[in-house]
Amino acid sequence: MKIQESAENYLETILILHNRLGQVRSIDIVNELSFSKPSVSIAMKNLRNNGYIQMDKDGYITLLDKGARIAEKIYERHILLTEWLTALGVDPEIAAKDACRMEHVISSESFDKLKEHVKKHK
């Protein structure tokens, strides 16, 4: 099932924050993305209801298996695309912004071929 780009971004952000902070709450996502508390609350409810995350009684968010798989896939794409664009001479800030858009639309086949190409030329 294809999920929306915004959901992918939230899952990726949860993964990044978990790696950085060790634990994640909605307020951390609000601060990271500069979104409103109500917007993040609605998104977390939707992710919870669809089985991508769970939230404990203290508000700590954990990625469930299917949420973690999506988050890791998107994050891998983000890192590789950013590094690739930067290696081509794109300003790192622009490369990161472009990678953020590209990571959601590139097909698995194209990404896999790009990944092979990058690994061959390192």
Side-chain angles (χ1 to χ4, degrees):
M1 179 177 104
K2 178 82 172 110
I3 69 167
Q4 292 185 349
E5 181 178 328
S6 61
E8 291 177 340
N9 278 332
Y10 277 113
L11 294 170
E12 180 187 21
T13 299
I14 293 166
L15 176 66
I16 291 167
L17 288 170
H18 182 267
N19 291 342
R20 187 187 315 150
L21 306 173
Q23 51 193 10
V24 182
R25 293 175 303 145
S26 292
I27 192 66
D28 301 317
I29 298 166
V30 166
N31 293 333
E32 183 76 10
L33 299 176
S34 299
F35 290 170
S36 71
K37 289 178 185 180
S39 294
V40 171
S41 179
I42 290 167
M44 293 307 102
K45 179 181 178 188
N46 289 336
L47 290 173
R48 219 175 32 251
N49 290 342
N50 287 294
Y52 294 107
I53 65 168
Q54 68 181 18
M55 194 176 288
D56 71 15
K57 63 178 176 52
D58 296 320
Y60 290 102
I61 300 165
T62 304
L63 290 168
L64 297 175
D65 286 343
K66 75 179 189 175
R69 281 193 301 275
I70 293 167
E72 289 164 2
K73 178 184 87 170
I74 296 299
Y75 187 59
E76 177 191 26
R77 289 176 174 202
H78 182 85
I79 295 298
L80 186 123
L81 290 166
T82 300
E83 289 173 354
W84 177 62
L85 291 169
T86 302
L88 292 174
V90 176
D91 176 89
E93 190 173 313
I94 293 170
K97 287 179 184 176
D98 287 345
C100 196
R101 290 191 295 273
M102 294 166 65
E103 67 196 24
H104 302 284
V105 296
I106 191 170
S107 70
S108 293
E109 181 180 356
S110 292
F111 180 76
D112 290 343
K113 294 297 181 185
L114 178 61
K115 187 162 68 170
E116 285 176 28
H117 176 79
V118 168
K119 285 182 179 181
K120 283 182 195 175
H121 294 91
K122 272 194 169 183

